[in-house]
Amino acid sequence: MSVLFAPSSDLSDLVTSLYGRRANDLYLGEPVTVYDHALQSATIAELDGAPSSLITAALLHDVGQLIRGAAEDAVRFADDEDHARVGGDFLASYFLPEVAGAVRLHVQAKRFLSATEAGYPATLTPAARMALVLCGGAMSTDETARFRARPHADAAIRLRRYCDRAKQRNLTVPGFRHFAHHVDASARRD
């Protein structure tokens, strides 16, 4: 397993441990592993020219699932607000608000896109459509207005699109070490 941060970092040990336990689990009924999904999300963000904070958010957007539980429980809270909140809260201790904010809202972004883009739900995989239902379905008009007003909503929408595309079987992507400079650039300095 590649090291995400500097070898002496406590955070590196924690994230490596979290991914190490779940790295080879299939990602929520998709044809990729948890590890591959994270790397594909970050690669897609990098290829899109996203800033380092969004690439880091893409790499770590599902850390709340890793913190919360075992693979067999993953579908139950795959796209619930709680895994996004847990992950965002965890990341807020170590990263810029742009990282934690996008992660906190990436589940809501799926609901937002479902409400505002005709045909968006049809682009989702069957497992992702099931997760959409589990997290409450498309937002109401009031919910979409509140979502748009939130800081980091635009970043969360971009993150959601990266996540949606990051489910390709046998896609060759770089390892965690490749993203270290983005992670470092996104770290809190206070």
Side-chain angles (χ1 to χ4, degrees):
M1 170 78 58
S2 297
V3 175
L4 178 57
F5 307 94
S8 62
S9 166
D10 290 338
L11 181 57
S12 170
D13 294 342
L14 176 58
V15 173
T16 300
S17 171
L18 288 168
Y19 273 99
R21 284 182 290 199
R22 299 269 318 275
N24 294 317
D25 292 350
L26 285 180
Y27 178 75
L28 310 172
E30 303 290 356
V32 296
T33 65
V34 170
Y35 184 71
D36 289 336
H37 177 67
L39 294 174
Q40 285 185 22
S41 295
T43 299
I44 293 166
E46 187 177 60
L47 291 172
D48 189 46
S52 288
S53 59
L54 192 49
I55 294 167
T56 301
L59 185 67
L60 301 175
H61 72 277
D62 282 333
V63 73
Q65 290 176 10
L66 302 176
I67 292 167
R68 287 210 35 207
E72 55 272 10
D73 293 330
V75 172
R76 184 169 51 107
F77 46 78
D79 275 287
D80 70 358
E81 300 283 336
D82 195 49
H83 102 268
R85 181 192 53 76
V86 168
D89 289 352
F90 171 78
L91 295 173
S93 298
Y94 303 98
F95 294 101
L96 298 172
E98 294 84 356
V99 175
V103 169
R104 277 190 192 104
L105 295 178
H106 81 278
V107 170
Q108 290 182 30
K110 180 189 277 189
R111 296 185 63 224
F112 173 83
L113 289 169
S114 295
T116 59
E117 284 189 11
Y120 171 78
T123 68
L124 300 173
T125 65
R129 283 194 299 273
M130 181 178 76
L132 173 62
V133 171
L134 293 174
C135 73
M139 287 182 169
S140 69
T141 302
D142 289 343
E143 287 175 314
T144 61
R146 285 193 302 271
F147 176 81
R148 287 303 289 159
R150 302 235 2 226
H152 315 296
D154 288 336
I157 290 168
R158 286 180 73 184
L159 173 57
R160 178 82 255 159
R161 293 185 192 286
Y162 303 145
C163 177
D164 290 343
R165 292 173 46 207
K167 299 170 183 177
Q168 300 174 46
R169 186 187 317 265
N170 300 323
L171 183 66
T172 301
V173 295
F176 274 125
R177 188 179 311 274
H178 171 82
F179 300 102
H181 67 285
H182 294 297
V183 171
D184 184 54
S186 303
R188 289 177 62 120
R189 304 287 183 223
D190 53 3

